[in-house]
Amino acid sequence: MNSKQTSSKPKKPLPASFFIVVSYENEEAYYRLKEKAEDTFSQALYESKALPKWTHQFENFLDSPIGRFTRILSLKRRISREELPSLQKECTKFQTSLRKSDESIRILPGYLTPYNLVLASLEEDLHRIYMFHGVFAEIIYTYQGQKWIPESAAWAFFKHPEVLYFFTNLRESYVSSLEKR
């Protein structure tokens, strides 16, 4: 055993790349959300094309239908990981106001790090960790062997090649920006 005691102080992790997944029916509602997100959070960094429809395992029990379209909007602002509940709260406000023009709109905030991709959720489940203010965090992907590996509980949406491709490119851009620091 080493006789020297090493003191390790907790170290704050690097800021994460912030994104939102948006499921919607009405294009106008999506563009209004994009405008609100840019006004509130920061300018958009990347925006996906229309992706496969986001689905929910309990779709029949949801309070509103699920839209036919899904997009991912990455924002320039880097976030502290503990901000996720506050960001979820803002996204819920946006969702509530936009439901007047598109009852199907759903906004799911998350963040990306070099090691994983985390999504906020308001629903408790075995694989989610409670943060605070009714918000849970769920790891969707871990980065292993030069690629994203979806967790077994990840929604089918996150297993589509187009979605993996988007997040792979977002990770490359994010890691590249960290190297320039």
Side-chain angles (χ1 to χ4, degrees):
M1 185 155 170
N2 189 346
S3 63
K4 283 187 176 181
Q5 292 280 341
T6 57
S7 87
S8 60
K9 293 181 181 178
K11 193 168 121 179
K12 187 168 176 92
L14 291 170
S17 178
F18 175 48
F19 67 87
I20 53 179
V21 176
V22 186
S23 172
Y24 62 96
E25 187 69 28
N26 177 335
E27 287 281 329
E28 182 183 322
Y30 170 76
Y31 287 110
R32 286 190 18 233
L33 165 68
K34 181 180 174 188
E35 185 178 315
K36 283 178 180 247
E38 288 183 323
D39 287 347
T40 304
F41 304 126
S42 72
Q43 182 181 357
L45 182 61
Y46 299 108
E47 179 179 7
S48 75
K49 62 180 178 128
L51 295 165
K53 179 181 176 177
W54 175 81
T55 59
H56 190 284
Q57 64 181 355
F58 300 115
E59 190 169 340
N60 296 340
F61 300 102
L62 296 175
D63 61 349
S64 63
I66 292 179
R68 290 179 292 154
F69 308 106
T70 307
R71 287 189 188 222
I72 304 165
L73 185 63
S74 164
L75 298 150
K76 277 191 174 182
R77 178 177 164 232
R78 300 297 187 225
I79 64 164
S80 296
R81 298 169 199 196
E82 59 270 14
E83 285 184 79
L84 195 56
S86 301
L87 296 167
Q88 173 66 57
K89 187 176 178 180
E90 278 300 308
C91 288
T92 299
K93 283 185 202 173
F94 294 164
Q95 183 174 288
T96 300
S97 72
L98 291 168
R99 284 252 168 115
K100 294 170 187 148
S101 60
D102 183 348
E103 69 175 334
S104 73
I105 198 159
R106 291 189 185 337
I107 305 164
L108 310 163
Y111 65 77
L112 176 145
T113 74
Y115 311 104
N116 56 35
L117 186 136
V118 175
L119 197 65
S121 178
L122 297 175
E123 300 169 2
E124 186 169 16
D125 208 338
L126 295 171
H127 58 281
R128 294 183 181 142
I129 297 169
Y130 184 71
M131 295 186 79
F132 56 91
H133 298 305
V135 177
F136 298 83
E138 175 178 0
I139 295 176
I140 301 297
Y141 303 127
T142 55
Y143 197 76
Q144 303 172 43
Q146 305 291 312
K147 65 181 180 178
W148 286 120
I149 306 296
E151 293 295 310
S152 60
W155 299 330
F157 170 79
F158 291 100
K159 296 174 183 175
H160 285 286
E162 301 96 324
V163 177
L164 282 160
Y165 180 78
F166 180 87
F167 283 122
T168 297
N169 288 329
L170 181 57
R171 182 187 180 278
E172 286 175 10
S173 172
Y174 171 69
V175 169
S176 175
S177 75
L178 292 177
E179 291 168 354
K180 293 176 185 172
R181 293 177 109 212

